[in-house]
């Protein structure tokens, strides 16, 4: 047999074997958020750790940027993604078909692991004329991508703290990186950047040439907002979290979580949680937001939807008490 023909046969055989291995691989898509927020880098960290530990089992994870919580919940419920990071308030609304999801329940949502509180960081340019929540009327404000969790939160925060709707401002539907650039360029006045801290887009804003600051949420304003949106809780951003931020900033936040489809095998979700707890110290080194994750109370703040069956098995073995509301229907 000629050498060229032999080489061609070897290549064809290798491609065939590679294709067979590829066909037998299970792919898990983890949808996150915009690249300037916290979800995307954290989702990438999760995917990397799961791949390092479990790729040998024939499963490969990939983190995908997205419009954030709302899009993620849609994709998870429709089966367009197997995992997601999302805010717990929106997850609870979607699962129960309440609030903004009135009349359309999302049954395919399961919690895996409680993450950090999302801080509602309302960042504004100091040269914008903004001095408080009562000075926002008519301002150009980034409100997040269309139909995102940030858009929903911006509506709630503006109404609760300033008595405003989107008709009272000039809403700009921008992701976090785009919003930061727009503030720096003077195209908009402010943005609500609701994410775990530190948030890369906020870091870039504080380090930029345009001077910025954050509007605090405390005292009567805090009480007013929590009365209207009880899923919020106080959060403080410590001084020096961001460049030139020389004082603590009192805000509010809402918990977010790692979610999975109920169609994802229970044993796989169980193994993922084993990886999370085994690699805890490395997670802490890779992103500061993991210091805000309560590994000792991973079920705290999970709202409105149940756990994944694999998560139930893991937490029961770890000795956690699981509330009845978090037991999924397939285990009842």
């Amino acid at each position: 047999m000629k050498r060229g023909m032999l080489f061609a046969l070897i290549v064809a055989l290798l491609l065939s074997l590679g294709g067979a291995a590829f066909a037998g691989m299970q792919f898990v898509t983890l949808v996150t958020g915009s690249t300037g927020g916290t979800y995307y880098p954290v989702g990438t960290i999760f995917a990397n750790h799961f791949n390092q530990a479990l790729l040998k089992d024939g499963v490969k994870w990939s983190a995908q940027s997205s419009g954030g919580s709302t899009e993620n919940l849609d994709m998870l419920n429709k089966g367009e993604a197997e995992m997601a990071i999302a805010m717990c308030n929106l997850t609870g609304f979607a699962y129960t078909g309440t609030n903004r999801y009135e009349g359309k329940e999302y049954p395919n949502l399961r919690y895996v692991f409680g993450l950090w509180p999302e801080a509602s960081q309302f960042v504004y340019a100091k040269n914008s004329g903004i001095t408080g929540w009562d000075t926002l009327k008519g301002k150009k404000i980034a409100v997040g991508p269309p139909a995102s969790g940030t858009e929903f939160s911006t509506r709630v925060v503006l109404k609760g703290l300033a008595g405003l709707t989107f008709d009272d401002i000039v809403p700009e539907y921008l992701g976090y990186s785009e919003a930061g650039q727009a503030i720096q360029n003077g195209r908009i006045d402010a943005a609500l950047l609701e994410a775990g801290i530190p948030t890369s887009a906020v870091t870039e804003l504080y380090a930029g040439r345009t001077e910025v600051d954050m509007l605090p949420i405390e005292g009567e304003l805090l009480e007013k907002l929590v009365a209207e949106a009880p899923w919020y809780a106080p959060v403080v951003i410590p001084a020096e979290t961001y460049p030139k931020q020389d004082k603590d900033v009192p805000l509010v936040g809402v918990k977010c979580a790692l979610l999975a489809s109920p169609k994802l095998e229970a044993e796989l979700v169980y193994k993922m949680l084993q990886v999370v707890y085994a690699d805890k110290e490395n997670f802490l080194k890779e992103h500061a937001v993991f210091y805000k994750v309560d590994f000792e109370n991973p079920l705290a703040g999970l709202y409105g939807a149940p756990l994944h069956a694999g998560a139930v098995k893991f937490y029961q073995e770890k000795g956690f008490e699981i509330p009845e509301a978090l037991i999924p229907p397939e285990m009842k």
Side-chain angles (χ1 to χ4, degrees), residues 105-170:
E105 296 179 5
Y106 283 26
N108 296 320
L109 309 178
R110 299 290 185 272
Y111 286 122
V112 174
F113 183 63
L115 295 173
W116 58 85
E118 301 267 25
S120 298
Q121 303 165 100
F122 192 89
V123 186
Y124 65 94
K126 286 187 175 181
N127 61 10
S128 65
I130 294 173
T131 56
W133 291 100
D134 57 350
T135 62
L136 299 182
K137 192 168 185 177
K139 299 298 183 182
K140 293 181 179 179
I141 300 173
V143 300
S148 66
T150 302
E151 183 197 344
F152 171 77
S153 295
T154 306
R155 291 182 186 276
V156 172
V157 167
L158 286 179
K159 181 181 178 184
L161 297 177
L164 302 177
T165 70
F166 280 13
D167 291 334
D168 300 308
I169 64 168
V170 181

Side-chain angles (χ1 to χ4, degrees), residues 4-213:
M5 291 179 62
L6 178 61
F7 178 76
L9 283 171
I10 292 173
V11 170
L13 178 61
L14 289 174
L15 287 174
S16 175
L17 291 173
F22 185 83
M25 183 74 70
Q26 178 182 354
F27 293 93
V28 177
T29 299
L30 168 55
V31 284
T32 59
S34 63
T35 54
T38 309
Y39 286 7
Y40 180 73
V42 166
T44 301
I45 290 169
F46 275 126
N48 289 341
H49 279 262
F50 296 152
N51 284 330
Q52 288 169 13
L54 302 173
L55 187 62
K56 60 180 173 26
D57 294 341
V59 187
K60 181 173 176 55
W61 282 260
S62 60
Q64 177 179 311
S65 64
S66 72
S69 290
T70 302
E71 182 179 355
N72 295 350
L73 294 172
D74 287 342
M75 293 180 71
L76 196 59
N77 189 61
K78 293 176 182 176
E80 295 172 357
E82 291 74 36
M83 299 191 71
I85 300 176
M87 296 166 67
C88 292
N89 59 340
L90 296 182
T91 300
F93 299 156
Y95 185 80
T96 57
T98 55
N99 202 293
R100 68 181 295 180
Y101 292 91
E102 190 71 46
K104 51 175 184 177
E105 296 179 5
Y106 283 26
N108 296 320
L109 309 178
R110 299 290 185 272
Y111 286 122
V112 174
F113 183 63
L115 295 173
W116 58 85
E118 301 267 25
S120 298
Q121 303 165 100
F122 192 89
V123 186
Y124 65 94
K126 286 187 175 181
N127 61 10
S128 65
I130 294 173
T131 56
W133 291 100
D134 57 350
T135 62
L136 299 182
K137 192 168 185 177
K139 299 298 183 182
K140 293 181 179 179
I141 300 173
V143 300
S148 66
T150 302
E151 183 197 344
F152 171 77
S153 295
T154 306
R155 291 182 186 276
V156 172
V157 167
L158 286 179
K159 181 181 178 184
L161 297 177
L164 302 177
T165 70
F166 280 13
D167 291 334
D168 300 308
I169 64 168
V170 181
E172 299 286 346
Y173 295 88
L174 303 173
Y176 288 8
S177 294
E178 295 83 1
Q181 292 168 7
I183 290 176
Q184 284 294 323
N185 296 336
R187 292 195 294 110
I188 64 173
D189 302 302
L192 182 70
L193 304 173
E194 196 165 61
I197 55 175
T199 307
S200 62
V202 179
T203 299
E204 291 170 8
L205 273 168
Y206 270 86
R209 287 178 297 177
T210 299
E211 287 192 62
V212 299
D213 204 351

